[in-house]
């Protein structure tokens, strides 16, 4: 059997066992512009839209993908070469692979090459929704103050060179200005990033930039743009060369960048779409009045859980999440952390069985077929930990409740930031604050609490005597006895206290 290079012309030739778009992609119009066409978007939003487009009445809800940064050149080239098509490979817990070619991305633009084309597309009256997956760090937020960072050189560049922006805020501002000038109508900006209150954050950050760069637009934006909150969930590890090779060998598909993911999927959205929306509830999306309890649950349990396993596992020398979480010490520590420190702060979760959800998380993390890389999970910890773990710490401290598990994790992160695991092997750290973290981690070797004095990450947490003492003890214990012995001891104490 011959191989098939993935593109429009090869769709009808693909072998049995691979689902393909059974709709005419030429008739699909892009009613959604999505910025940040990475693996998660392609496993999540684009997948939901692909299912929806099989009902031809939804043909005005295709996606125009935007590669915003120079770093995104590769994915842009792949999508262009493959007519926007790619294969989604779902890896079940039993090892079964479900393969589906996704066709919902019908246009794609590379912003660095043609910023005007991106601005005009966002301003097109056919576009009703602009969605974002720009990562936690993409919102230009000062974690300590919660305010927009106006000192970012790229932000200053965008103000001074509005015709050639570099940040999402520069692009959105020029697009909204053009929509106003051309009377293109209202539009919804929907964040799909793992940030609590992501819609609120997107609105606050955009309005802060507009007030800085083009304040005359503020009134129009307030009346013509909505920013719903959303909660997204699907584990999507980085695509490995073996995934590409296996797809070619088993299914005869030559796909330059397929996406692999778990079977679990969840999307909860606040129903606030000022210019209309697709009926995504027909393909499993949940629309609610208030997303906050659900996203707090997900950020505090799943995302924080990932970071816990990643940091502890990295120090112990593991390279994938499934390896780390199936270590009895780490798995038990994670379960206890979720039960003792996170669950008490969760409420208003109608219809959710938290006990079952937490067990589902352990099962998902343990999926040996996903092989989620720990260095991916631990990337940009300086943006993730303030979103995933510190809110739990702050709420527990207000009630004089337990924070010992979190203290061990943060202490482990300080030691991790030195760049070596306990086997003396180098750690591949990816963080915009890497050098700053390293400097604080070195200071912590003689004064552990110095790590907590990085205000841009921890705010005033170092001023909490309870947490500072718990952190210092955890740090010294890890240095003296090793991370494994410390978490085993914590597990024993948790068992006694249950």
């Amino acid at each position: 059997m011959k191989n098939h290079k993935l593109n429009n012309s090869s769709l009808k030739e693909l072998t049995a066992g691979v689902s393909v778009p059974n709709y005419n992609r030429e008739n699909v119009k892009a009613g959604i512009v999505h910025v940040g066409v990475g693996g998660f978007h392609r496993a999540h939003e684009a997948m939901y839209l692909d299912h929806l487009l099989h009902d031809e009445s939804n043909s005005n809800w295709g996606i125009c993908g935007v590669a915003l940064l120079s770093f995104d050149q590769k994915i842009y080239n792949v999508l262009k070469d493959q007519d926007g098509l790619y294969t989604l490979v779902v890896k079940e817990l039993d090892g079964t692979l479900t393969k589906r070619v996704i066709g919902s991305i019908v246009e794609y633009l590379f912003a660095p090459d043609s910023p005007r084309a991106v601005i005009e597309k966002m301003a097109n009256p056919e576009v009703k929704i602009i969605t974002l997956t720009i990562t936690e760090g993409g919102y230009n937020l000062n974690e300590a103050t919660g305010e927009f960072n106006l000192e970012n050189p790229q932000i200053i560049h965008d103000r001074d060179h509005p015709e050639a922006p570099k940040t999402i805020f520069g692009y959105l501002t020029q697009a909204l200005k053009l929509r106003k000038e051309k009377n293109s109508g209202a539009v919804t900006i929907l964040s799909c990033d793992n940030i609590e209150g992501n819609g609120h954050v997107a609105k606050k950050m955009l309005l802060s930039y507009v007030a800085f760069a083009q304040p005359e637009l503020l009134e129009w934006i307030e009346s013509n743009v909505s920013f719903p909150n959303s909660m997204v969930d699907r584990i999507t590890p980085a695509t490995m060369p073996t995934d590409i090779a296996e797809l070619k060998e088993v299914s005869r598909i030559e796909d330059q960048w397929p996406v692999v993911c778990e079977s679990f999927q969840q999307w909860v959205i606040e129903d606030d779409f000022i210019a209309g929306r697709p009926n995504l509830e027909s393909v499993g999306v949940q629309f609610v009045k208030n997303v906050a309890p659900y996203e707090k649950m997900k950020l505090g349990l799943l995302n924080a859980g990932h970071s816990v396993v990643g940091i502890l596992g990295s120090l112990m020398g593991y390279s994938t999440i499934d390896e780390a979480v199936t270590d009895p010490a780490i798995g038990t520590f994670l379960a206890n952390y979720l039960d003792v420190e996170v669950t008490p702060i969760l409420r208003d979760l109608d219809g959710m069985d938290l006990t079952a959800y937490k067990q589902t998380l352990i099962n998902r993390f343990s999926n040996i077929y996903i092989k989620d890389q720990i260095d991916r999970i631990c990337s940009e910890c300086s943006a993730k930990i303030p979103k995933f773990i510190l809110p739990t710490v702050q709420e527990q401290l207000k009630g004089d409740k337990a924070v010992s598990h979190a203290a061990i994790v943060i202490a482990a992160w300080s030691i991790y930031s030195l760049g070596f695991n306990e086997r003396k092997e180098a750690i591949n750290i990816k963080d915009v604050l890497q050098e700053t973290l390293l400097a604080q981690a070195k200071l912590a070797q003689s004064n552990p609490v110095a790590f907590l004095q990085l205000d841009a990450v921890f705010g005033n947490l170092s001023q909490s005597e309870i947490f500072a003492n718990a952190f210092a003890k955890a740090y010294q214990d890890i240095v003296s006895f090793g991370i494994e012995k410390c978490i085993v001891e914590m597990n024993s104490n948790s068992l006694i206290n249950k």
Side-chain angles (χ1 to χ4, degrees):
M1 295 176 63
K2 72 171 185 175
N3 295 330
H4 300 286
K5 181 180 178 181
L6 188 58
N7 53 37
N8 279 334
S9 62
S10 69
L11 279 180
K12 294 181 180 179
E13 302 173 1
L14 298 185
T15 59
V18 179
S19 299
V20 299
N22 290 320
Y23 51 88
N24 188 341
R25 298 181 74 230
E26 293 182 359
N27 293 338
V28 176
K29 296 179 180 179
I32 300 172
V33 169
H34 180 78
V35 181
V37 187
F40 179 77
H41 165 71
R42 293 191 290 149
H44 196 263
E45 179 186 341
M47 177 277 303
Y48 279 109
L49 268 299
D50 178 75
H51 282 284
L52 189 74
L53 289 171
H54 282 83
D55 177 351
E56 294 183 359
S57 67
N58 292 300
S59 61
N60 58 333
W61 291 113
I63 299 170
C64 173
V66 173
L68 190 69
L69 307 175
S70 299
F71 176 81
D72 299 322
Q73 176 86 58
K74 180 181 177 182
I75 185 59
Y76 167 75
N77 289 342
V78 169
L79 288 174
K80 184 177 180 181
D81 191 45
Q82 297 184 176
D83 298 322
L85 298 168
Y86 62 92
T87 313
L88 183 64
V89 180
V90 179
K91 297 188 173 184
E92 308 285 353
L93 284 170
D94 64 0
T96 302
L97 302 182
T98 303
K99 301 163 190 172
R100 181 184 192 92
V101 174
I102 303 296
S104 54
I105 301 176
V106 293
E107 298 179 43
Y108 22 91
L109 298 170
F110 185 54
D113 278 356
S114 51
R116 187 64 189 177
V118 172
I119 292 168
E120 290 181 352
K121 188 64 185 180
M122 288 178 169
N124 189 309
E126 292 182 349
V127 171
K128 306 299 183 184
I129 303 172
I130 299 171
T131 57
L132 312 173
T133 48
I134 56 176
T135 76
E136 296 85 359
Y139 289 83
N140 194 48
L141 178 70
N142 183 312
E143 299 294 348
T145 66
E147 301 301 322
F148 191 73
N149 179 15
L150 293 173
E151 298 178 359
N152 183 338
Q154 290 192 326
I155 294 299
I156 296 171
H157 170 276
D158 283 6
R159 180 198 61 186
D160 296 341
H161 303 89
E163 75 289 347
K166 293 184 177 181
T167 74
I168 184 60
F169 303 104
Y171 277 100
L172 288 175
T173 299
Q174 295 312 305
L176 296 176
K177 177 184 177 184
L178 191 57
R179 289 187 82 94
K180 177 185 176 184
E181 292 172 352
K182 292 191 171 184
N183 197 27
S184 296
V187 68
T188 295
I189 296 176
L190 174 63
S191 170
C192 301
D193 283 300
N194 283 317
I195 299 174
E196 188 169 2
N198 51 16
H200 296 323
V201 172
K203 180 177 183 179
K204 181 179 180 179
M205 297 301 103
L206 178 61
L207 292 183
S208 296
Y209 174 77
V210 172
F212 173 66
Q214 294 192 285
E216 67 276 7
L217 274 178
L218 286 171
E219 184 176 351
W220 186 89
I221 292 173
E222 287 284 6
S223 300
N224 293 276
V225 185
S226 63
F227 300 83
N229 294 302
S230 72
M231 187 270 270
V232 296
D233 189 0
R234 191 170 216 183
I235 296 173
T236 308
T239 301
M240 304 300 289
T242 51
D243 296 315
I244 298 172
E246 183 178 29
L247 185 62
K248 181 178 179 180
E249 179 180 352
V250 175
S251 300
R252 318 311 301 177
I253 299 175
E254 294 185 13
D255 187 337
Q256 300 170 63
W257 203 333
V259 180
V260 298
C261 64
E262 63 170 341
S263 58
F264 184 92
Q265 62 196 47
Q266 189 175 24
W267 197 5
V268 183
I269 310 176
E270 188 175 273
D271 202 354
D272 181 21
F273 289 75
I274 196 169
R277 64 167 176 83
N279 61 324
L280 285 164
E281 58 266 53
S282 67
V283 292
V285 176
Q286 183 179 1
F287 289 92
V288 299
K289 290 183 179 180
N290 183 14
V291 172
Y294 299 90
E295 60 187 5
K296 184 176 182 179
M297 174 196 74
K298 189 251 181 172
L299 294 171
L301 294 176
L302 182 138
N303 295 113
H306 250 154
S307 293
V308 168
V309 174
I311 292 168
L312 300 182
S314 183
L315 270 192
M316 290 173 64
Y318 291 113
S319 60
T320 63
I321 291 295
D322 65 289
E323 293 171 345
V325 80
T326 52
D327 181 298
I330 295 177
T332 302
F333 180 92
L334 172 64
N336 289 334
Y337 167 71
L338 299 181
D339 287 344
V340 174
E341 297 184 23
V342 184
T343 300
I345 72 168
L346 302 178
R347 54 191 64 90
D348 299 326
L349 289 163
D350 294 341
M352 288 296 304
D353 182 338
L354 278 181
T355 299
Y357 181 80
K358 287 182 286 187
Q359 185 56 54
T360 298
L361 291 185
I362 302 294
N363 294 339
R364 292 166 65 191
F365 290 174
S366 303
N367 189 335
I368 63 173
Y369 302 100
I370 290 292
K371 292 294 178 189
D372 209 352
Q373 297 295 308
I374 279 178
D375 62 1
R376 184 189 80 86
I377 293 300
C378 290
S379 68
E380 305 303 335
C381 269
S382 64
K384 292 176 178 177
I385 284 178
K387 297 290 189 305
F388 303 159
I389 295 178
L390 297 189
T392 296
V393 171
Q394 297 288 7
E395 199 159 342
Q396 286 286 89
L397 287 172
K398 288 178 185 176
D400 294 325
K401 301 289 182 61
V403 292
S404 298
H405 289 81
I408 287 179
V409 175
I410 303 300
W413 182 37
S414 177
I415 296 167
Y416 164 99
S417 297
L418 292 169
F420 294 90
N421 65 25
E422 292 188 338
R423 299 177 183 177
K424 308 302 181 184
E425 299 163 334
I427 296 173
N428 180 25
I429 297 177
K430 305 172 186 176
D431 199 298
V432 68
L433 294 183
Q434 181 177 350
E435 294 303 319
T436 304
L437 290 167
L438 176 60
Q440 294 299 122
K442 288 180 177 178
L443 292 175
Q445 290 178 299
S446 56
N447 174 27
V449 177
F451 190 71
L452 297 181
Q453 293 167 348
L454 180 55
D455 292 347
V457 173
F458 297 105
N460 63 358
L461 185 60
S462 64
Q463 296 174 25
S464 166
E465 184 176 353
I466 291 173
F467 190 81
N469 288 341
F471 171 87
K473 181 181 186 307
Y475 186 98
Q476 291 161 350
D477 286 348
I478 295 170
V479 170
S480 299
F481 307 113
I483 186 64
E484 182 176 11
K485 186 171 182 179
C486 289
I487 62 178
V488 167
E489 180 70 19
M490 176 62 74
N491 293 342
S492 298
N493 292 337
S494 297
L495 182 63
I496 292 172
N497 293 328
K498 280 188 176 179

